[in-house]
Amino acid sequence: MNRTVFAVDIGTSSLKAALIDSFGEVLAAARVRFPRAQRTGEHWENALSSAWAAVHSQLGDFTPNAVSVSGNGPTLASVSQDGRASAVLLWNDPVSPIPAESGAGKTPSLFIPRIQAFQSLYPREFSEASSLLSGPEYIVWRLTGSPVTILPDPRYEKAYWTAGDLSATGLSGVPLAPFLLAGQRFGLTNGTAGIPAGIPVTGCGPDFTAALLGTGTIEPGTACDRAGTSEGLNLCLGEPISAEAVRTLPGAVPGVWNASYILSETGAIFHTWRRDNGLAAMQYPELMKQIEQSPIVPEHQGILHPGRKVVEEIGFAVRRGIETLNAIAGKDLVWRLSGGQARNEIWNRMKADITGARFALTRTPDGELMGDAIAGFAMLGEYASMEEAARAMVRIDKIYEPDPENHLLYTEKYRTHAHL
């Protein structure tokens, strides 16, 4: 029987999980939404337990060969000496600016400003913390009892923290867990969340590096559009670059780099519009079908469907990002899709029409989960490296091509929009 990995990704609004085999086949999957209340580590654990039970109900009794975890960041929760979990400071929670004299803004770290914000918002939990952990690390700790910080690649250390940066910002005594590299063995399960004891645990760490792995965006010139609550357009490069509106970080595997164009709220904007207009009860595919079938250019100066207006605004923002990264690549890129938005066939078609780009859907729209599985099989020795696993397990199932007539109409509107 093929070996399997139970892959887990902690998103902003939900936890996703899947059982994936060494050929990249998704055998069963589940998604559990978090409550709208202030998030705690217990919400993550409860969702993990529910996801495990859901997959178990689909397959019957099974025991995976590994568990592998990823999640959004820099999100933080603290764990006290007696094992209590604090409230969670999500990566996108608004926080007050940290005073310049505290050293904020003088470091390349993405985590240090959030650690300072956590200290300000939750002083008691901060002072009582035995460890400060992000989402995937919290799950690893609950599963194994071992506090770790998952580092995607040694080059990421400055983006997390260094001893010098911690000292310069007055955080040298903060209980941060030691770094372990993605794909290493972090420990064995202890029976938490209903998952049997004795299973090796690993992870990818941040969800965006998991998505890059899980879509095979590991060769220079490959690209990924990772879209859920927020959206990131990612281009794999052979060397780092500096460009306006683009963040360059190390890639998902050694020797490559990743250029990102971030759109922080594309999914959130659409869902806010749905809620504010009393459409939350309407199924997402049904609403998108209405929007797609409405005219791109209404006849006789008719009124544009209000949902279409929102979708086009989002699409034009994505188009700007694609044009930016196409210029860096020197070619028209094919964008491998990942994330919740990739599940909607209509939006994938419309996005191709609006942007003029080609989009590729891999075997699963949840690239993060495939990336977790890739890390898991690399840890198990099924493949010699995560690169080898990605090349073997990631397969493109469908390409979305822009419709020439629709693209022309959208281009005329885009050019007008760009000059507003």
Side-chain angles (χ1 to χ4, degrees):
M1 180 179 175
N2 291 335
R3 294 205 280 184
T4 59
V5 170
F6 186 66
V8 179
D9 180 70
I10 302 172
T12 304
S13 59
S14 64
L15 180 144
K16 296 176 292 186
L19 189 71
I20 300 175
D21 72 12
S22 59
F23 296 109
E25 296 292 338
V26 178
L27 306 180
R31 180 185 182 189
V32 180
R33 287 196 174 275
F34 299 125
R36 292 185 179 274
Q38 168 69 55
R39 198 74 39 81
T40 71
E42 290 178 354
H43 291 140
W44 288 333
E45 185 179 345
N46 292 340
L48 174 63
S49 179
S50 296
W52 172 266
V55 171
H56 194 276
S57 71
Q58 295 172 49
L59 295 176
D61 193 31
F62 71 95
T63 300
N65 298 96
V67 175
S68 186
V69 189
S70 62
N72 61 65
T75 285
L76 292 174
S78 70
V79 176
S80 66
Q81 293 288 348
D82 59 359
R84 287 180 291 108
S86 74
V88 170
L89 178 64
L90 288 171
W91 67 276
N92 62 345
D93 281 341
V95 296
S96 301
I98 303 297
E101 57 268 20
S102 69
K106 298 178 182 179
T107 167
S109 169
L110 302 175
F111 278 83
I112 284 178
R114 304 303 283 183
I115 294 171
Q116 293 173 314
F118 189 95
Q119 181 181 28
S120 175
L121 289 168
Y122 306 113
R124 181 178 62 81
E125 290 92 337
F126 186 87
S127 65
E128 295 177 354
S130 62
S131 292
L132 272 180
L133 302 169
S134 197
E137 287 89 353
Y138 176 86
I139 291 298
V140 169
W141 171 76
R142 288 296 292 128
L143 289 175
T144 68
S146 299
V148 304
T149 299
I150 308 169
L151 199 65
D153 182 280
R155 296 172 296 167
Y156 270 90
E157 187 170 335
K158 289 183 179 179
Y160 278 60
W161 54 76
T162 65
D165 284 338
L166 291 172
S167 177
T169 50
L171 296 173
S172 55
V174 174
L176 297 169
F179 290 131
L180 285 181
L181 289 175
Q184 290 186 332
R185 179 167 150 165
F186 303 148
L188 298 175
T189 55
N190 54 21
T192 294
I195 300 174
I199 301 171
V201 177
T202 187
C204 280
D207 49 9
F208 95 92
T209 55
L212 296 178
L213 268 178
T215 55
T217 310
I218 59 171
E219 308 280 357
T222 54
C224 167
D225 176 10
R226 180 175 167 271
T229 302
S230 60
E231 188 160 357
L233 299 165
N234 299 277
L235 167 62
C236 186
L237 296 167
E239 57 186 24
I241 58 96
S242 178
E244 185 178 356
V246 174
R247 175 190 295 168
T248 301
L249 288 170
V253 298
V256 298
W257 295 82
N258 184 69
S260 296
Y261 187 101
I262 306 299
L263 299 158
S264 61
E265 295 184 314
T266 56
I269 288 169
F270 185 78
H271 288 296
T272 297
W273 173 80
R274 282 178 71 191
R275 182 196 64 208
D276 291 349
N277 287 272
L279 298 170
M282 182 180 288
Q283 293 294 315
Y284 181 52
E286 181 185 351
L287 179 56
M288 286 300 297
K289 184 177 181 180
Q290 282 188 13
I291 292 170
E292 183 188 39
Q293 291 178 344
S294 69
I296 298 173
V297 180
E299 294 182 358
H300 310 301
Q301 297 183 329
I303 298 174
L304 191 71
H305 188 293
R308 172 175 284 285
K309 184 176 188 300
V310 174
V311 166
E312 288 182 3
E313 291 280 348
I314 294 169
F316 292 153
V318 173
R319 180 165 173 169
R320 284 192 293 274
I322 285 176
E323 289 174 349
T324 298
L325 293 180
N326 278 348
I328 291 170
K331 64 178 182 178
D332 290 336
L333 298 160
V334 178
W335 299 88
R336 301 178 182 208
L337 293 163
S338 177
Q341 293 184 37
R343 293 181 174 280
N344 190 270
E345 184 92 1
I346 294 172
W347 177 224
N348 293 341
R349 288 199 302 266
M350 290 186 69
K351 189 182 285 190
D353 290 350
I354 292 170
T355 64
R358 299 168 71 210
F359 292 89
L361 191 63
T362 58
R363 184 61 51 92
T364 170
D366 296 313
E368 298 89 348
L369 295 179
M370 188 62 70
D372 290 330
I374 286 165
F377 285 116
M379 177 194 66
L380 292 170
E382 187 81 15
Y383 296 98
S385 65
M386 290 195 290
E387 300 97 295
E388 181 181 300
R391 293 183 184 110
M393 294 172 62
V394 177
R395 292 187 289 280
I396 292 174
D397 276 358
K398 186 169 186 176
I399 298 285
Y400 294 91
E401 303 269 2
D403 176 271
E405 184 177 340
N406 287 346
H407 178 57
L408 181 61
L409 293 173
Y410 283 124
T411 296
E412 292 173 355
K413 296 177 79 171
Y414 176 67
R415 288 172 178 163
T416 302
H417 180 273
H419 289 91
L420 291 179

